[in-house]
Amino acid sequence: MPRRLLNTSRLSLENFRRELASVDALPQLCLLAVISGALTGVIMIVFRELIELGALGLMPEGRTEAFEDLPVMVRMGLPVIAVVLIGLGLGWQKKSARRLGITHVIERFSYHQGVMARDNWFNQWWVGVVSLLGGLSAGREGPAVHLGAGASGWIGQLLKLPHNSLRVLVGCGVAAGISASFNTPIAGVIFAMEVVMMEYTLTGFMPVMLASATGAVITQLHFGSAPAFMLPSVIEPRLLDIPWLLLMALAVGVMAGGFIRLACMGERLVRVPWVLRILIAGVLTAAVALFYPQVQGIGYDSVETILAGQASLDVLLALALGKLILTAVTVACGIPVGIVGPTLVIGAAAGALFGLGASALLPSMAGEPNLYVMMGMAAMMGAVLQAPLAAIMALLELTHSPDIILYGMLTVLSAALTARLVWRTQGFFVMPRQGSTQHPLQQPLMQALSRVGVGAVMDRSVTVTAAVITRERARVILDARPTWLLIHRQGDQQKADREPGKAPLALLAADMARAMEEEDQTGVDQEGDGSINLLEIPGKRLELAPIDLQATLSEAFACLDDQRVDALYVRHITAPMMHRVSGIITREAIENYYH
């Protein structure tokens, strides 16, 4: 028989899961990344088409941000109607189901190993559409990230993949969502690594890059390659612009820090009923829209107006200060809206104001106005997110001008540092979870252990046995050469799991072999009936607690501390209420792996 060139046994789903538990499962992760990016791209097409469909019935000529052309009462009524719909749709649901957008994704990534909640994902669809069509100051990148991360995470949950690979899949969905929103695949990668995953590793970079590129390709096939807003063809910075840009960065940094502080004031409003809070946000938006409808929606049309030099001074002030306050208050009042898009608009208006001021004071030294607009956008984004690299890469991809990078680095870093020092902020998406302890993703040990599944480190040489067995059964067990014996004291695995006081014990098989050898030499039968009681023979028995095969080493480490046990036995769920033991993992094994 000819030798088979393909070993089909390696193609099983169980082997695929086992390989993904390792820290260097790049081929498998890259395959999943392509699927994740394509799925996220399709979802973004559907989401944007839903918004376009709604605009056909609400907006003049079907333009999604034509709030300026609406009758006054209509544009004032839209945000109030939007918050009423959001209140009716979310008010009856539990509080945890109201958490949407990038904040929710980071929470699930940090504290739930990337396992996404379905209720929140379904809510994100209609809340995102209602927020944008209703004229609230909101962006579409928040829904894009949540929808992409949720769909990508479900791939892993459906296949019951290890949580370490699930986390990478969520990062892939985040990158593809940003890439599909702005047509900026590199910025999508950096955003995922810098804001959500908070780490840079080869295992994370390659899959995330593939997902981001795939998402961009899918959306460009449908919408074309045009950026989110039209930009000037040429921007020529000069060294003389650097002092002015640094001054602008200081002002933008102060604005960004104030935005974060104001948006985080929601914790002080917990005593105010949630329905009343969101109604306040809707009424405030309607009041500002009475005079300046430009603050409604994302505001990308306003950016194009600013770049064309057609925005009046009062409109620029309304966008720079009014939209900043409005967006922050909307978030503080508990309405889950995206903030990246609005921060870009706020930064563009602030940069335009500074450019006008520089031209008025020293016209001979002032640079090109659009330079300040673009730098203001990047500076505000970098300072609010405390993600300078993502902002710089977005600037590069939007302008297609490598000459601007030096000036972007100085401006973005100065603004981010100013916001951090003046307001003592750690970024918009870190501040809401800030407390007395360090954020989980800022702990090097937890980061390292989260990259590996228990399946890659556990000892698979385990035999499950009852506490009292015959000598014949003991010999059969030893012939299989296991390392560990997992002893169920009641002989009922399911019952032992439900009764912590009677949880299984682990015993080294070598201890049983030694006890049997001593009995053979002395001729003394401890039980007197030819059986062996594994709870009484000499040897160290480890108290155990269960953990699922999908768990990461960080989950195992936390479980050892919480349960105060010596080791964990790894369970593989085979059917509802049924599972089998796949291995044993000790604290020593985890520590040895890390070191």
Side-chain angles (χ1 to χ4, degrees):
M1 178 181 290
R3 180 178 299 176
R4 293 183 181 270
L5 297 179
L6 180 64
N7 185 0
T8 56
S9 64
R10 290 180 57 103
L11 299 180
S12 68
L13 183 56
E14 186 169 348
N15 277 334
F16 189 65
R17 295 186 186 117
R18 183 180 302 176
E19 291 167 348
L20 282 170
S22 173
V23 72
D24 57 354
L26 276 178
Q28 295 82 3
L29 288 173
C30 287
L31 172 62
L32 292 171
V34 172
I35 299 172
S36 167
L39 180 60
T40 301
V42 171
I43 286 174
M44 279 309 301
I45 291 172
V46 174
F47 181 72
R48 290 173 63 174
E49 287 295 346
L50 283 174
I51 297 173
E52 296 285 347
L53 183 63
L56 288 176
L58 291 175
M59 300 294 181
E61 301 178 5
R63 291 179 290 126
T64 56
E65 294 194 271
F67 295 100
E68 299 92 336
D69 299 330
L70 289 172
V72 174
M73 296 308 296
V74 174
R75 72 175 184 237
M76 289 182 64
L78 280 177
V80 177
I81 294 172
V83 298
V84 169
L85 290 175
I86 292 172
L88 292 174
L90 296 180
W92 62 273
Q93 300 186 48
K94 55 187 178 181
K95 188 176 180 180
S96 59
R98 303 174 192 166
R99 298 186 66 85
L100 309 175
I102 300 174
T103 301
H104 175 70
V105 173
I106 295 177
E107 177 187 343
R108 302 301 298 187
F109 186 91
S110 306
Y111 301 101
H112 301 274
Q113 303 298 325
V115 178
M116 303 299 293
R118 293 194 178 188
D119 289 347
N120 303 69
W121 191 78
F122 286 120
N123 285 333
Q124 181 64 90
W125 279 98
W126 67 268
V127 170
V129 172
V130 169
S131 298
L132 291 169
L133 290 177
L136 297 175
S137 184
R140 68 171 178 236
E141 76 297 323
V145 166
H146 188 175
L147 295 175
S152 300
W154 282 356
I155 297 173
Q157 291 173 239
L158 181 65
L159 299 177
K160 297 181 179 179
L161 301 181
H163 288 170
N164 63 313
S165 60
L166 193 62
R167 291 163 61 88
V168 176
L169 272 174
V170 169
C172 289
V174 171
I178 292 293
S179 174
S181 294
F182 297 106
N183 271 337
T184 53
I186 299 179
V189 173
I190 303 301
F191 182 92
M193 307 296 288
E194 197 170 20
V195 177
V196 177
M197 303 175 76
M198 294 188 187
E199 63 177 356
Y200 294 94
T201 63
L202 179 63
T203 307
F205 247 128
M206 291 184 68
V208 169
M209 289 177 68
L210 267 176
S212 184
T214 305
V217 167
I218 296 297
T219 51
Q220 286 184 19
L221 287 174
H222 185 80
F223 295 111
S225 58
F229 35 80
M230 298 306 296
L231 299 168
S233 57
V234 178
I235 298 178
E236 297 181 356
R238 308 171 303 166
L239 291 176
L240 286 175
D241 292 318
I242 292 178
W244 295 106
L245 291 175
L246 292 178
L247 286 174
M248 183 192 72
L250 296 178
V252 170
V254 172
M255 292 173 61
F259 174 85
I260 296 172
R261 287 295 183 185
L262 184 58
C264 292
M265 293 214 24
E267 296 179 358
R268 301 183 183 181
L269 302 176
V270 291
R271 295 183 179 179
V272 180
W274 178 72
V275 174
L276 180 58
R277 278 184 280 153
I278 65 172
L279 189 60
I280 291 172
V283 171
L284 180 60
T285 303
V288 178
L290 171 63
F291 304 100
Y292 296 102
Q294 293 87 351
V295 301
Q296 293 184 278
I298 307 175
Y300 289 158
D301 59 336
S302 297
V303 173
E304 294 183 1
T305 302
I306 293 171
L307 290 170
Q310 300 173 353
S312 61
L313 183 61
D314 61 327
V315 169
L316 291 176
L317 286 169
L319 288 172
L321 298 178
K323 193 172 182 67
L324 183 148
I325 295 173
L326 201 58
T327 307
V329 169
T330 301
V331 173
C333 288
I335 301 178
V337 296
I339 58 99
V340 177
T343 57
L344 291 174
V345 179
I346 295 165
L353 285 170
F354 200 89
L356 290 174
S359 298
L361 291 174
L362 292 171
S364 61
M365 294 183 62
E368 186 179 350
N370 284 338
L371 173 67
Y372 295 98
V373 174
M374 296 305 300
M375 291 300 172
M377 293 170 65
M380 181 62 73
M381 175 183 172
V384 168
L385 302 180
Q386 286 295 301
L389 188 55
I392 293 168
M393 294 312 300
L395 179 66
L396 173 63
E397 289 188 286
L398 289 172
T399 60
H400 301 287
S401 175
D403 296 335
I404 209 170
I405 292 300
L406 169 64
Y407 305 87
M409 291 173 64
L410 294 173
T411 305
V412 172
L413 291 172
S414 299
L417 188 61
T418 300
R420 198 175 187 92
L421 293 178
V422 174
W423 292 94
R424 299 185 183 278
T425 60
Q426 295 188 34
F428 178 84
F429 295 114
V430 176
M431 290 293 289
R433 285 156 297 283
Q434 185 173 301
S436 58
T437 59
Q438 196 178 25
H439 192 283
L441 296 182
Q442 294 172 329
Q443 301 176 25
L445 174 61
M446 290 298 104
Q447 275 192 341
L449 297 182
S450 293
R451 300 182 197 128
V452 188
V454 294
V457 179
M458 69 183 183
D459 192 334
R460 299 177 182 274
S461 182
V462 179
T463 295
V464 180
T465 179
V468 180
I469 58 176
T470 64
R471 295 177 65 84
E472 288 74 16
R473 172 59 182 163
R475 292 190 181 94
V476 171
I477 291 174
L478 292 176
D479 287 342
R481 298 182 180 277
T483 302
W484 292 98
L485 303 178
L486 190 144
I487 308 168
H488 283 296
R489 286 178 278 194
Q490 293 142 314
D492 182 348
Q493 184 173 337
Q494 305 296 334
K495 187 176 180 181
D497 290 340
R498 295 193 299 267
E499 299 182 20
K502 295 293 185 180
L505 297 174
L507 176 71
L508 285 170
D511 290 337
M512 183 178 73
R514 187 180 303 109
M516 290 179 62
E517 184 179 353
E518 290 177 356
E519 286 188 8
D520 291 340
Q521 291 176 354
T522 59
V524 177
D525 185 350
Q526 299 291 340
E527 294 297 312
D529 58 359
S531 62
I532 298 175
N533 190 333
L534 298 179
L535 300 179
E536 296 182 359
I537 64 173
K540 182 179 180 180
R541 279 162 283 274
L542 304 181
E543 294 285 346
L544 298 177
I547 193 166
D548 290 333
L549 183 59
Q550 292 177 270
T552 62
L553 291 188
S554 64
E555 291 177 275
F557 194 81
C559 186
L560 286 169
D561 288 339
D562 293 342
Q563 300 293 329
R564 298 182 181 181
V565 293
D566 306 306
L568 305 171
Y569 66 96
V570 182
R571 302 181 303 180
H572 180 200
I573 298 176
T574 55
M577 303 301 293
M578 295 183 63
H579 61 260
R580 61 181 175 85
V581 176
S582 298
I584 285 180
I585 186 166
T586 63
R587 184 185 299 272
E588 183 182 9
I590 297 175
E591 292 174 349
N592 288 341
Y593 177 85
Y594 176 71
H595 292 306

